[in-house]
């Protein structure tokens, strides 16, 4: 049975796109980011220019891809989606950029995965809308400068620390951090999703799901769908008690934490005497990938105040210890 981090690790593309807001009013929270982006887009539209490039960063499932879609919708522009890992060779980038319809929003997801070489090629494209292509080899090789169709780059990453500072500085339209969501915002998101999916969810049910959603819209939507499945299979109306039973079956506790989160905290407590523990050492003793530890488990545990990150590694806080004693 998959648990909440799995709901985060694996993107349910079908559910994501079925529930993805297509209007700004449906995009809850992140008020600061929304206000800035709207000004950027409106000003550019007024001038008849493409807006400057922007970057969104934050944990998985908090709405980065959704924002890229909203940017394209607002500009009434085509959206071309790719990812850092898909652009392997210089030719891949050249093919994408030279084939863009003028005025396209180019969304590069997980942009921290671009290689250094590709990044360097991207700089002139971002600064002056041109691409330097080397034709031929050896002494007869020459560089040709191609003028690109105008485009706006929207980058997204879950790993801001891995982004080079020269690349970061090329986002003239701003670098925006997306935050976790409040319970209030999550409740609005769940209510809208329930309506869209035709699920009859009372405020008490919505409340229950919100409190177990790790402050993350994608988890909220996935959990809503799974408790609905549970109530249908058991032929019982969707009540808060049914939500509790479903969550118990999924291994999700009242804070939205799972056995994997508890295993992380327990490893830190017993294997490393509460820390400090380096992320690699922790990952290896949990047989997990350090990236998953850092980007899936830790952001929410940090937010709960159960762990702290210090220069020497992760530390289990008193609150984290108390949680372990109770669970
Ligand atoms: N602000 C929001 N308001 C309403 N729904 C949201 C919001 N943000 C995200 N969602 C919902 O959560 C789903 C996941 O969001 P999205 O795909 O944009 O996350 P992401 O940050 O791109 O995640 P990842 O890092 O895994 O790519 C969306 O399809 C949408 O249904
Ligand atoms: Mg995304």
């Amino acid at each position: 049975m998959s648990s909440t981090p799995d709901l985060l690790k694996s993107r349910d593309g079908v559910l994501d796109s079925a529930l993805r807001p297509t209007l700004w009013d449906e995009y809850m929270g992140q008020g600061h980011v929304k206000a800035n982006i709207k000004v950027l887009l409106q000003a550019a539209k007024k001038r008849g220019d493409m807006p400057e490039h922007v970057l969104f960063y934050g944990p998985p499932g908090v709405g980065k891809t959704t924002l890229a879609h909203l940017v394209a919708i607002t500009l009434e522009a085509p959206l071309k989606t790719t990812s850092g890992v898909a652009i392997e060779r210089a030719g891949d980038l050249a093919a994408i950029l030279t084939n863009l319809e003028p005025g396209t929003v180019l969304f590069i997801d997980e942009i921290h995965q671009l290689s250094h070489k590709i990044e360097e090629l991207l700089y002139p494209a971002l600064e002056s809308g041109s691409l330097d292509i080397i034709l031929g080899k050896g002494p007869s090789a020459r560089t040709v400068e191609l003028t690109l169709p105008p485009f706006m780059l929207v980058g997204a990453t879950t790993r801001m620390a891995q982004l080079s500072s020269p690349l970061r500085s090329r986002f003239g339209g701003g670098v925006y951090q997306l935050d976790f969501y409040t319970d209030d915002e999550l409740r609005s998101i769940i209510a809208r999703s329930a309506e869209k999916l035709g699920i009859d969810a009372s405020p008490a049910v919505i409340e229950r799901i919100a409190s177990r959603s790790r402050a993350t819209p994608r988890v909220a939507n996935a959990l809503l769908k799974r408790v609905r499945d549970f109530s249908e299979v058991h032929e019982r109306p969707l009540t808060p008690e049914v939500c509790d039973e479903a969550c118990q079956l999924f291994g999700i506790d009242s804070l939205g934490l799972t056995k994997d989160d508890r295993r992380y905290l327990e490893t830190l407590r017993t294997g490393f005497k509460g820390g400090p523990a380096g992320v690699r050492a922790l990952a290896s003793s949990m047989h997990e990938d350090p990236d998953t530890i850092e980007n899936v488990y830790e952001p929410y545990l940090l937010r709960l105040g159960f762990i702290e990150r210090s220069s020497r590694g992760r530390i289990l806080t008193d609150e984290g210890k108390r949680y372990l004693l109770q669970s």
Side-chain angles (χ1 to χ4, degrees), residues 255 257 265 301-302 304-308 315-317 319-320 323:
L255 290 174
L257 299 187
L265 295 170
L301 293 172
L302 280 164
L304 287 175
F306 287 1
I307 59 167
E308 272 169 16
I315 299 164
L316 184 66
T317 62
E319 273 191 66
Y323 167 80

Side-chain angles (χ1 to χ4, degrees), residues 153-167:
L153 174 67
V154 176
T157 180
T158 47
R159 289 152 219 197
M160 190 56 176
Q162 286 179 25
L163 208 71
S164 75
S165 67
L167 181 56

Side-chain angles (χ1 to χ4, degrees), residues 3-296:
S3 52
T4 333
D6 296 316
L7 299 179
L8 269 175
K9 276 188 241 167
S10 57
R11 304 175 184 177
D12 180 340
V14 178
L15 191 66
D16 269 3
S17 48
L19 297 176
R20 178 157 283 143
T22 52
L23 300 168
W24 285 105
D25 283 348
E26 296 173 337
Y27 191 91
M28 302 298 160
Q30 316 292 356
H32 168 78
V33 179
K34 275 203 294 192
N36 277 279
I37 296 295
K38 281 184 182 174
V39 169
L40 181 79
L41 300 183
Q42 272 165 21
K45 264 180 116 170
K46 249 188 178 164
R47 284 194 306 267
D49 286 345
M50 277 315 271
E52 290 195 73
H53 312 298
V54 296
L55 176 72
F56 301 126
Y57 72 99
V62 295
K64 299 179 293 296
T65 298
T66 306
L67 269 183
H69 281 256
L70 282 171
V71 165
I73 290 169
T74 308
L75 294 174
E76 296 168 78
L79 177 72
K80 163 84 186 158
T81 296
T82 183
S83 78
V85 65
I87 308 174
E88 265 184 77
R89 287 166 301 129
D92 299 334
L93 182 68
I96 291 172
L97 293 178
T98 52
N99 286 311
L100 290 176
E101 200 180 315
T104 296
V105 173
L106 173 63
F107 177 48
I108 306 186
D109 207 359
E110 300 302 352
I111 195 165
H112 63 273
Q113 289 180 331
L114 288 178
S115 69
H116 185 63
K117 205 178 83 203
I118 302 287
E119 267 192 25
E120 300 233 299
L121 204 63
L122 192 58
Y123 297 153
L126 298 180
E127 275 157 19
S128 54
S130 63
L131 191 66
D132 296 327
I133 294 198
I134 300 167
L135 292 180
K137 273 193 177 146
S140 64
R142 59 197 175 92
T143 307
V144 182
E145 193 185 282
L146 281 182
T147 302
L148 297 170
F151 71 98
M152 174 188 185
L153 174 67
V154 176
T157 180
T158 47
R159 289 152 219 197
M160 190 56 176
Q162 286 179 25
L163 208 71
S164 75
S165 67
L167 181 56
R168 222 178 296 177
S169 69
R170 258 75 177 189
F171 292 97
V175 172
Y176 300 96
Q177 178 173 20
L178 300 194
D179 227 324
F180 282 119
Y181 289 68
T182 63
D183 269 9
D184 229 20
E185 290 160 356
L186 286 172
R187 283 196 292 268
S188 308
I189 292 170
I190 297 165
R192 171 182 166 270
S193 300
E195 201 180 308
K196 275 211 146 184
L197 297 173
I199 301 173
D200 189 13
S202 68
V205 163
I206 290 172
E207 167 80 51
R208 229 19 100 87
I209 297 170
S211 63
R212 288 159 171 71
S213 296
R214 303 174 86 88
T216 304
R218 179 181 292 131
V219 176
N221 286 337
L223 207 50
L224 170 69
K225 197 178 140 216
R226 289 182 59 194
V227 295
R228 190 266 313 262
D229 290 350
F230 181 90
S231 83
E232 279 182 3
V233 166
H234 293 275
E235 296 181 359
R236 289 165 64 191
L238 187 52
T239 60
E241 293 69 38
V242 167
C243 288
D244 288 347
E245 281 180 46
C247 284
Q248 205 172 4
L249 177 72
F250 307 150
I252 298 168
D253 74 9
S254 61
L255 290 174
L257 299 187
T258 67
K259 63 174 184 350
D260 290 332
D261 295 299
R262 289 186 287 275
R263 196 159 65 88
Y264 171 97
L265 295 170
E266 202 53 66
T267 306
L268 192 53
R269 188 176 74 95
T270 52
F272 297 89
K273 300 195 172 71
V279 69
R280 291 188 177 280
L282 259 170
S284 109
S285 73
M286 288 179 70
H287 306 290
E288 266 284 9
D289 166 35
D291 263 2
T292 306
I293 300 272
E294 208 164 351
N295 299 295
V296 179

